Amino acid sequence: MSNSNPLNRLVPIRPSIQTITLGVSLAWVACIFYLAVAPLPPDVPTLEPGSTASLGHYGTNLVFGGLVYLLIGRRSTDVAGLARDAVMSVGLVVLLGVVTEGVQLIVPERTASIADLLYDGAGAATGVAAVILLERTRASRFQLSAVGSAGTTVLIGLVIVGGILWTAEPPYLDECGPNVDIVARPGSTDSPGGAGSAGSGVRVTDGLVVYYDFSEGTGEVVHDVGGVGAPLDLVILDRDKARWILGSKGIEFVDAGTAIRSRSRAAKIYDALTASNQFTVEAWVVPSDLEDGDPPRRIVAVSAGTWRHQVNLHLGHDGPDGVFRVRTTCDYYISASTARVFTGTGRPTHLVASYDGSTMRTVVDGVALETFDGFDGTFGNWDPDYPLVIGNEATLTRSFLGTIMLVAVYDRALSDEEIRQNFEVGPDG
């Protein structure tokens, strides 16, 4: 009697398929470890934020689960034997997931996640179930191993090619000596005074580059009203997810997946800040969600994505803590965090990060909380093509939730007195 299974025609020769399957499985494990330690891949724009990583965990372990079952499954005819082999296969896959999640604890910008392990297990269970079902269609273990190994080899090639395409050429670093750990010390409110005086009712304008007071109240454009050079106007990407506050100033981000961003590169921010190698980023914000972020959320960013060399600078928060990042020619990824910047939702907070070329200060509601020492280098490796993004990253995967009422960027480090002056003027400017 002829066998009508098409796999018989696809795989007529029988080499040492078990050895081939083992080799392909080990190569796939190497790919999984690569994906665990590599910078986050670009998110697919048509998917909700975070979906790419979830699908990646599910898909890679679906393949791995099927391979493991082909290696250790004994093709039992009884239900108990099938269940035993299936559980062992899924367990091995989840064990690998535990190891890779542990590795991610020490990889910059990667975090361990219980949810990822659940996706790993679900993918492995799907792969094992698929192999069991195919075996019930009279496909032999040899045929499944041969076709599975061939398909996985193609996937390994795609991972390698994808890794080459994903890995952007990092901007240069100067030889600045050994990196110095960023050390936080309590802030001081006794710094020298700057232009104007606290309580004068006038905002500081010396060094201003861009200024957004969110007073439009309607439309899709947020205008740069600083009056410095050509205005860098911004556009609201999704007005269903970011809406104007009626009867007041500000835009409320009510759902993830949108941003307010410049239509093109933030040229005048790049030009001004790379010339001075200093900055002050200021924002009046009202967060509506202070759950610990995974990863942190962005309030203001000059960036193209989330990789460590795709960010010039950003100001954001991780739950109640403020987080700040700046790239210099000595380090791709200098970051600092200040605890308890936000004490609750629903209250406007004046958040400022000021950098003078060697130290960064965190000033909240006019009070200097911390100063971070140990920065070095210049902004000579910043990318001139990055846009200005408010309320998210350019990839729309670091969504801020809440209201933003004012954003300003200066090309110098404002003094504590100048920052208090802006604070006392308030979010209405």
Side-chain angles (χ1 to χ4, degrees), residues 214 217 243-253 402-405:
F214 297 92
R243 62 194 182 197
W244 294 100
I245 303 297
L246 297 179
S248 182
K249 292 175 53 176
I251 287 182
E252 181 183 10
F253 292 83
T403 301
I404 297 180
M405 299 178 290

Side-chain angles (χ1 to χ4, degrees), residues 377-403:
T378 71
F379 301 156
N381 61 347
W382 279 22
D383 193 303
D385 294 325
Y386 291 170
L388 172 64
V389 187
I390 294 177
N392 215 327
E393 279 282 4
T395 53
L396 306 184
T397 55
R398 302 292 186 268
S399 298
F400 169 81
L401 296 177
T403 301

Side-chain angles (χ1 to χ4, degrees), residues 343-358:
T343 57
T345 59
R347 185 182 70 84
T349 298
H350 187 235
L351 177 59
V352 177
S354 179
Y355 176 69
D356 66 3
S358 61

Side-chain angles (χ1 to χ4, degrees), residues 287-308:
S288 62
D289 182 359
L290 290 181
E291 295 296 324
D292 288 343
D294 184 19
R297 304 177 183 193
R298 309 296 196 251
I299 297 172
V300 182
V302 180
S303 68
T306 59
W307 296 0
R308 49 191 315 208

Side-chain angles (χ1 to χ4, degrees), residues 96-171:
L96 175 66
V98 171
V99 174
T100 56
E101 292 298 312
V103 169
Q104 286 183 334
L105 290 173
I106 60 175
V107 176
E109 206 163 311
R110 303 301 297 269
T111 57
S113 170
I114 297 297
D116 289 344
L117 289 177
L118 296 177
Y119 283 112
D120 293 346
T126 304
V128 169
V131 171
I132 292 174
L133 289 174
L134 287 170
E135 285 186 327
R136 293 301 173 269
T137 65
R138 301 182 64 183
S140 72
R141 179 63 57 87
F142 165 78
Q143 293 162 343
L144 290 173
S145 296
V147 174
S149 296
T152 306
T153 301
V154 173
L155 290 175
I156 291 170
L158 292 176
V159 170
I160 294 172
V161 172
I164 295 172
L165 295 177
W166 286 344
T167 306
E169 181 181 352

Side-chain angles (χ1 to χ4, degrees), residues 49 63 84 97 132-133 155 159 240 270 311 313 324 341 346 382 417:
V63 172
R84 180 192 61 241
I132 292 174
L133 289 174
L155 290 175
V159 170
D240 290 329
Y270 172 84
V311 178
L313 69 88
F324 320 96
V341 162
W382 279 22
E417 185 177 9

